[in-house]
Structure formats: structure tokens, C-alpha cells
Amino acid sequence: MENNGENLISIQDLKVHYQVRAKSLIDRISGNDERKVVKAVDGVSLEIKKGETLGLVGESGCGKSTLGKAILRLTEPTDGKVIYNNKDLANLSNSQMRDQRKHLQMIFQDPYASLNPRMTVGQIIGEPIKTFGLSSGTVEEKVQELMETVGLSRRFIKRYPHEFSGGQRQRIGIARALAVNPEFIVADEPISALDVSIQAQIMNLMERLQNEKNLTYLFISHDLRAVRHVSDRVAVMYLGKIVELADSKEIYKEPLHPYSKALISAVPVPDPEIEATRERIILKGDVPSPINPPRGCRFHTRCPYVEPKCKMEEPKLVEIKPRHFVACSRISPEQPYIENAK
Amino acid sequence: MNNGNILTVNNLKTYFQTEDGVVKAVDGITFELKKGETLGIVGESGSGKSVTNLSIMRLIPEPPGKIVDGEIIFDGKNIRQLSLEDVRKIRGKRIAMIFQDPMTSLNPFLRISTQLTEVTELHLNHTPEQAYQHAVKMLEMVGIPDAENRVDAYPHEFSGGMRQRVMIAMALSCEPELLIADEPTTALDVTIQAQILELIKDLREKLGTSVILITHDLGVVAGMTDKIIVMYAGKVFEQAPTKELFATPANPYTKGLLKSVPDPAHEAGTDLYQIPGLPPDVAHLPPGCPFAPRCEKVQGICRQDYPPFVQINENHWSLCHFAKETYQESLQEKEAKDGK
């Protein structure tokens, strides 16, 4: 869906830093208690447009889940703004924020851990309706309606989560998120824990609901194939920063940042003919620790195109092509391809 | 006598006794693996792919599990009939295994060196000194930087990808003839997954090891394997050389699986193909074809009679009443696609 429309959420220079204590007890006792800071999200600016699906990809530890939670204030942001409806979510009081939660919901990765095992499906889905006093009819009617919307039989209303499969549990999670008629949903790895044949069902369900209810999604996943399928635009994150942002078609066809290139080329293609011939970019090493991220460009320790200046200055997100933003100091609108960079 | 096959599995059946009744986790699996070949086993959770391989290693917990029938011929010997002591001589030495989760399959209390030397001291009669040197050499081979100093570290000091490398080093330290990799990259990030797959490929070529690669990711098997088995509800649903399986599948389940992977060539926004319904409860299979309740091509006969294992050509088999028809349909689809 092409959408140049208005912004629903505007994230400005959002930061989430965690304090971690020194490792050992001895260090703490001896006063060697240097507090370290994990910069999980370190200055992210993003606009999420009404009705779109923005995909957020990156490897574990890059801060993508933290970013998703910080938008909804499930994790307190350290700095920055999240503008929604002319309000800065990052600076609302708890009760004001609570009021906004009926517009902003979340779907979690693990359908086993995110449902209370002692509540029935009816109670789980009904709880937000009761909390926000939203239902016009009886809560049970509304719950049954929601269950049908997500493809669960209304007969299951008295059952407990353990009686359902992973895919069905994810449907319960989705129904719970929908119970308050939200506008915006953060879906944090909603299909990672599911079987292949079930992943397709959940992706299709989410797409159908988006069309029916005009939802906006932030779709967080490490599965680039899934993200490509559901997203209108995609943001690639590395060590707490957005390194590339573009339309989904564009970024998969022609990624510009060397990290996005490697990430996309690393995805195995289910076609033996292509697999046999294509060149894969293999990155060396692991993602560095976010406690002491590398100076300059954070990717420079693994980048095949690194040069001295990359270690000095931190590149900014620049519009290299129309609607295609990249943070890499070696490319520019005049010279968008790093292969040609001198 | 072993006609070039390193491993022959014949009609293997592994059942589990549960409160719910007998679960036929693996129910009549047959395949051959030639020296140097790589076999992919694909299936969703509960399809029996891991149980197949635990059976080969004789690692099925008994009770409740039991290999009730079939043969597992490794290098001319039926593993099922060997004494546990003889199995132990093979396990870890001639057949080695890598597991999905490198965090839980290494002992967190022991140094990497201790865990690596244990294998070679046992199987290759290395002296502690030899074993230690060998451990360093193996870590270098799997690409652990600064192996000499890292060998004495504990598992928690390594990242996930590095731990998987340690697991591979351990599995390969006796130069096994057969390596079983059970979802070796599922817990890893894509860039690390690419590193590990590349490593397995390299080592396979260097050492001539045969590999069984178990995964749910069709992308992974596409680039790594010579032939593929697709499992569903403990049965082999389709078996074919890799290229042929992807190009012209002869089973509706395989076709559905292939179609439900988001295809990079397809535009976003189009609905993704989905296999309806849920993976089956293996304790309560329907009569007839286990896939019938989810199959879009289902006919009356599918719900009544168990399907035959149809041979399509020399190396291609499919468990379906309409295997030949499905194959023809795939052929036509392929021609239409190539013709364009």
C-alpha cells in the first residue's frame, strides 16, 4: 500500500540507556563499582505513517525490541520524544499514558509466555475491555466477536491457554490487542515462534485486520523474508541506530548500506538454482557489545568497506535517493553505491 | 555389501507410550545416504525429524520411547542390534551430532578445553597433551580467533555463533564419517547463520563427511543438500533430489510448504499462500492420509485409505493418492514459468 499520508507517530531522537552494574561482587565491595551504560537505543528518529506497516529488522541485541517497547512506554525512554496525537508519549504521566494505551497495543513474540495460564481465553481477551470500560453490549459478546475476527471458534471461550497450539495462542494475543480498538500495534516478532505453515496464516490474518480496521503496524522481526512480505517500508537497525530506511521493495532490490547488503544476502533463498550460483556476503565476527559500541560508525568493525574516517565520525541518516535514507559516510546522493566509492 | 552407502535406514519405526496412547513419532522411514552426500530432512514441529536422528544415534529415552521396527545400517552394521558399549564407540567418533541450542548443549561448568579433550581422549586414545593440542587445532579450524587463549574459556564467555562453532569443533574432532546437524542455525541471527552454513560446507568438502541436515527452513536446505526428505506426522511424504523437489514437487504438502515461504520475487501486498489448519496431533491421526484435513486437493479416497508411496522416477517418491497427478501439475507449472 503506497502511503504518503500523515504521520501517526513521530519518534524524535529516542534513546533508551540501561545502567548495568560492575560484574563481580568483589569489584563492588572494593569500590571499583564503575557503572556501565548499555545504549540499547541511541538516538532513533522515525516517522510511522497512518495505515502503513513499518518493518524493523536487525540482529539480536540491536535494540529493535527495546525501541518497540519504548514507543509504548513499556520501557522508559531515557531521552527523546514520541509524538502521537500532538502528545509526547515519552513525557506523559503514568495515568495519562494509561489512557493512551487503548490506542496503542502490542503483540508479543512468545505466545506461550505472554498469556496468563490461569486465565481463560474469555478472561484474557475480556480484561482490556473491562479495564477501559469499552463494551456497549456484554463483555462476553464482544469477546466472542473478537474471537471470530481472529479465526478462533467462539466455543473455546472457557478454555485455558495450554489447550491451544502456538498459532492459536498467537491469535488470542492478537484478539487481546484488538479488544480496545487500537490505532497502532507494535508486533514484536509475532511469528518467530511458529511453524512455517502457521506463520503464513498469522501474516495473512494481520494483513486482513489491517485492511479491515485501518491499523498501523510496527512489525519487528529478524526474519527478512517475512518483513519484506508484510511491510510498506523497512528500517534496518544496528547497535541502537537506524542505518537504512526505505520502501520495502526498494531496500530488498537495492540495499545501499553495507550492513543491509550483508543482512539481505545472508538470507537463504528457497531455490537451489539461485543458491548454487549467487555470491553471499559473509560478515566477519559478531555484533559488538552495546556497552562500548565502536566509535564512529558502529558497523566499522565488521564492514568490508571500512576506511579511516569511518572510525572517527558517526554518520547521519541522509536521504541518498528519494525516500531512501542511509547512514554511511562513504556514500552520498551523488555517489550512492559503495562499490564505486573511492 | 554397503554399495557406497554410509547409512541405510529401513522402515524405521519409533513409538512413544504416552497417557494419550501410542505416539508414532516416526512411522516407517526409509532412506539411504551415500558417502560425502548431504541429506536434508524438512518438516514442521512434531513431524518426527529429530526423533529419526535420535533413533540413528540410539538416543531415544526408553521408556517411554522405543524403536519398534526397522533397520539402521551404518557401515554394514545394524545399529539397532549393537550392544550399548558398541554404540558408544560409534557415537561421537564415527557419527557426531550438532544440536540446535548451543547454549544448553555445552556444560556451563566446564572449560571448553575440558569438553573438547574428553572426546578425543576417549575415542582416539589421545594423551592429555595431545588432546589439548588437538582441541586448539580444531578451534582454529572452525574459525575461532585467538584459539590458543580461548580454549580455556567457559561457554558463557562465547557468543551464540561462537558456541555453535565450538559445538562443531567438538563434533568433528574425531573426523566422523557422518555428521547429524539438528537445526544447527535456528537459534542464530542470519549473518551468523550464513557463517555457520558456510563453515559446514567447507568442512564437509575438506573432510569428506556425510551430513544429515535437519531444519524447518527450506532456504537452508536449498543451498546445502543433495537430496531432501519431507516429513509429516512421522511419515516420509516426499523424497527427491534437491533440485527436483524444488522444481517439481509431487506432494500437495511439499507444494504448500514451498508456496507459503514469502518469495522475494513476488510483490508484497499479495496474499501469502497458507496451508489451512494445524499440524496434526500424532497421537490421534485421522484414518486415511494424515494430511487430508489440510489438503486443498483432498478427495473422498484420501479420508478413507492410507495413501501409497508412489515412485515418480528413479529417485523421486511421494506419499499421496494423487502423486502422479500432482507431479504432472508441477511439471506444467514449471514449463509455464520457464516459458515466460
Side-chain angles (χ1 to χ4, degrees):
Chain A
M1 190 182 353
E2 199 66 12
N3 195 330
N4 295 315
E6 53 185 307
N7 291 334
L8 184 73
I9 289 184
S10 167
I11 302 161
Q12 294 164 12
D13 203 25
L14 194 69
K15 289 183 183 163
V16 183
H17 294 179
Y18 298 108
Q19 299 263 341
V20 283
R21 296 195 73 120
K23 263 188 198 165
S24 71
L25 189 61
I26 295 165
D27 280 350
R28 272 192 244 168
I29 295 169
S30 65
N32 197 6
D33 187 4
E34 188 193 346
R35 280 183 179 244
K36 290 180 177 158
V37 178
V38 176
K39 300 178 174 174
V41 175
D42 201 20
V44 165
S45 299
L46 266 181
E47 323 264 80
I48 303 172
K49 299 197 171 87
K50 220 175 177 145
E52 81 168 343
T53 300
L54 178 66
L56 185 60
V57 295
E59 295 179 271
S60 25
C62 74
K64 54 191 194 304
S65 289
T66 307
L67 175 59
K69 286 185 189 152
I71 296 171
L72 303 185
R73 285 271 297 276
L74 296 176
T75 291
E76 284 299 319
T78 315
D79 197 10
K81 288 179 178 169
V82 179
I83 309 289
Y84 167 74
N85 254 345
N86 299 320
K87 292 191 190 74
D88 178 9
L89 298 180
N91 290 308
L92 291 182
S93 72
N94 281 343
S95 67
Q96 284 170 319
M97 185 60 214
R98 220 176 124 74
D99 211 34
Q100 296 299 323
R101 289 247 158 83
K102 56 175 172 280
H103 308 300
L104 310 161
Q105 283 291 310
M106 186 147 182
I107 302 170
F108 298 92
Q109 168 172 6
D110 188 346
Y112 295 82
S114 55
L115 302 175
N116 187 336
R118 289 168 187 266
M119 286 166 82
T120 64
V121 174
Q123 289 169 328
I124 289 171
I125 302 174
E127 193 174 36
I129 304 174
K130 283 188 196 147
T131 315
F132 289 105
L134 290 170
S135 177
S136 43
T138 70
V139 172
E140 191 167 315
E141 272 170 30
K142 172 85 179 171
V143 169
Q144 288 183 337
E145 194 185 304
L146 280 163
M147 287 176 74
E148 299 220 318
T149 313
V150 298
L152 289 170
S153 163
R154 53 171 76 199
R155 290 183 293 121
F156 295 163
I157 193 163
K158 295 243 156 57
R159 291 199 186 175
Y160 288 90
H162 74 264
E163 298 176 74
F164 293 91
S165 69
Q168 286 173 320
R169 279 183 232 207
Q170 200 54 288
R171 287 173 196 267
I172 299 171
I174 293 174
R176 175 177 60 186
L178 290 177
V180 293
N181 288 323
E183 232 185 330
F184 175 64
I185 294 181
V186 174
D188 188 3
E189 303 266 12
I191 58 168
S192 312
L194 307 175
D195 267 318
V196 192
S197 73
I198 306 303
Q199 291 186 350
Q201 293 178 5
I202 297 296
M203 280 193 272
N204 286 342
L205 171 67
M206 286 182 64
E207 253 175 309
R208 198 192 79 215
L209 293 170
Q210 179 170 46
N211 293 337
E212 283 173 13
K213 298 177 185 290
N214 195 22
L215 295 169
T216 305
Y217 290 135
L218 179 68
F219 190 94
I220 303 172
S221 178
H222 68 276
D223 182 343
L224 284 102
R225 290 183 298 215
V227 167
R228 184 200 150 92
H229 186 80
V230 299
S231 309
D232 302 298
R233 290 190 305 151
V234 173
V236 180
M237 208 168 165
Y238 189 77
L239 275 183
K241 294 252 180 204
I242 305 287
V243 296
E244 185 158 359
L245 170 68
D247 285 351
S248 154
K249 260 186 249 170
E250 166 101 3
I251 201 168
Y252 282 91
K253 203 174 73 199
E254 198 172 74
L256 295 177
H257 194 283
Y259 177 62
S260 319
K261 279 181 199 280
L263 197 61
I264 287 166
S265 100
V267 180
V269 183
D271 184 336
E273 315 257 334
I274 297 175
E275 278 290 313
T277 52
R278 80 196 181 103
E279 281 281 319
R280 195 183 268 152
I281 306 168
I282 307 265
L283 286 180
K284 296 215 167 61
D286 293 316
V287 182
S289 156
I291 294 182
N292 267 319
R295 274 172 51 110
C297 171
R298 289 172 187 208
F299 185 56
H300 83 247
T301 52
R302 300 170 83 194
C303 182
Y305 301 99
V306 61
E307 62 171 31
K309 80 171 170 198
C310 304
K311 296 176 187 169
M312 309 300 293
E313 54 190 87
E314 187 150 1
K316 291 205 166 52
L317 206 56
V318 179
E319 188 160 14
I320 298 287
K321 290 177 169 188
R323 297 164 58 83
H324 193 153
F325 298 83
V326 186
C328 175
S329 50
R330 298 211 56 195
I331 61 178
S332 61
E334 294 75 42
Q335 205 296 103
Y337 304 108
I338 196 160
E339 291 83 357
N340 307 333
K342 274 181 280 178
Chain B
M1 122 162 220
N2 59 11
N3 50 35
N5 287 348
I6 180 100
L7 179 73
T8 309
V9 172
N10 243 331
N11 196 29
L12 174 71
K13 293 184 180 174
T14 305
Y15 293 176
F16 288 81
Q17 292 288 345
T18 69
E19 285 174 9
D20 240 13
V22 178
V23 172
K24 299 177 177 177
V26 170
D27 198 17
I29 291 240
T30 298
F31 66 86
E32 293 172 349
L33 186 66
K34 292 200 171 56
K35 237 181 152 63
E37 220 175 22
T38 300
L39 167 76
I41 301 185
V42 185
E44 297 181 86
S45 27
S47 62
K49 50 194 197 303
S50 292
V51 174
T52 304
N53 290 283
L54 291 173
S55 304
I56 295 170
M57 296 282 271
R58 285 272 297 274
L59 286 171
I60 296 291
E62 190 179 333
K66 194 169 190 326
I67 302 177
V68 295
D69 197 9
E71 293 177 318
I72 303 161
I73 314 275
F74 175 73
D75 195 22
K77 284 191 277 293
N78 188 349
I79 291 188
R80 258 195 86 195
Q81 284 160 357
L82 293 183
S83 67
L84 263 187
E85 203 180 317
D86 287 334
V87 173
R88 261 189 224 119
K89 284 185 192 146
I90 294 179
R91 207 189 271 160
K93 183 180 185 195
R94 303 186 62 193
I95 307 181
M97 198 156 178
I98 314 171
F99 298 91
Q100 170 172 353
D101 191 348
M103 325 276 164
T104 51
S105 37
L106 288 168
N107 186 332
F109 291 110
L110 298 180
R111 294 176 194 279
I112 296 296
S113 52
T114 317
Q115 304 189 46
L116 277 168
T117 50
E118 191 184 0
V119 193
T120 52
E121 281 177 33
L122 177 72
H123 288 304
L124 303 181
N125 296 322
H126 277 172
T127 64
E129 180 56 25
Q130 278 174 322
Y132 191 84
Q133 291 308 326
H134 190 71
V136 174
K137 203 182 87 194
M138 291 309 296
L139 290 183
E140 277 168 3
M141 189 172 84
V142 297
I144 291 193
D146 197 17
E148 230 160 284
N149 293 315
R150 299 284 273 161
V151 65
D152 285 323
Y154 287 92
H156 73 265
E157 299 176 66
F158 289 91
S159 67
M162 285 296 161
R163 266 178 248 185
Q164 198 56 292
R165 284 174 194 263
V166 172
M167 284 300 298
I168 294 174
M170 196 186 293
L172 293 178
S173 34
C174 301
E175 304 209 352
E177 290 137 86
L178 173 61
L179 175 69
I180 300 177
D182 191 348
E183 304 264 15
T185 59
T186 309
L188 306 175
D189 279 314
V190 270
T191 59
I192 309 298
Q193 165 171 298
Q195 291 175 0
I196 297 292
L197 292 179
E198 207 62 21
L199 175 68
I200 294 178
K201 259 193 223 173
D202 276 0
L203 295 176
R204 179 182 66 190
E205 269 157 43
K206 219 182 275 171
L207 307 174
T209 315
S210 311
V211 179
I212 298 181
L213 181 69
I214 306 169
T215 175
H216 65 278
D217 188 332
L218 289 160
V220 170
V221 282
M224 292 282 294
T225 58
D226 301 303
K227 58 182 182 187
I228 293 178
I229 287 177
V230 179
M231 288 188 73
Y232 188 81
K235 315 276 194 307
V236 173
F237 257 53
E238 186 160 8
Q239 185 168 346
T242 303
K243 274 188 188 166
E244 182 161 337
L245 186 101
F246 279 90
T248 51
N251 193 293
Y253 175 60
T254 315
K255 286 190 84 159
L257 267 190
L258 286 171
K259 272 195 282 182
S260 57
V261 180
D263 179 352
H266 273 245
E267 291 303 320
T270 51
D271 236 12
L272 192 58
Y273 177 82
Q274 65 181 52
I275 302 176
L278 303 172
D281 174 356
V282 193
H284 304 105
L285 287 178
C289 173
F291 185 59
R294 306 177 73 191
C295 184
E296 60 173 13
K297 294 272 161 66
V298 64
Q299 307 275 330
I301 184 173
C302 303
R303 299 190 198 274
Q304 287 159 15
D305 296 339
Y306 189 76
F309 201 43
V310 180
Q311 182 161 24
I312 306 290
N313 57 39
E314 198 192 341
N315 298 314
H316 192 164
W317 298 76
S318 164
L319 187 81
C320 179
H321 287 290
F322 301 98
K324 292 222 158 98
E325 290 83 345
T326 311
Y327 180 70
Q328 284 306 326
E329 190 190 277
S330 295
L331 268 183
Q332 282 162 13
E333 281 167 12
K334 182 175 182 290
E335 274 164 24
K337 213 170 95 191
D338 291 347
K340 254 188 233 165

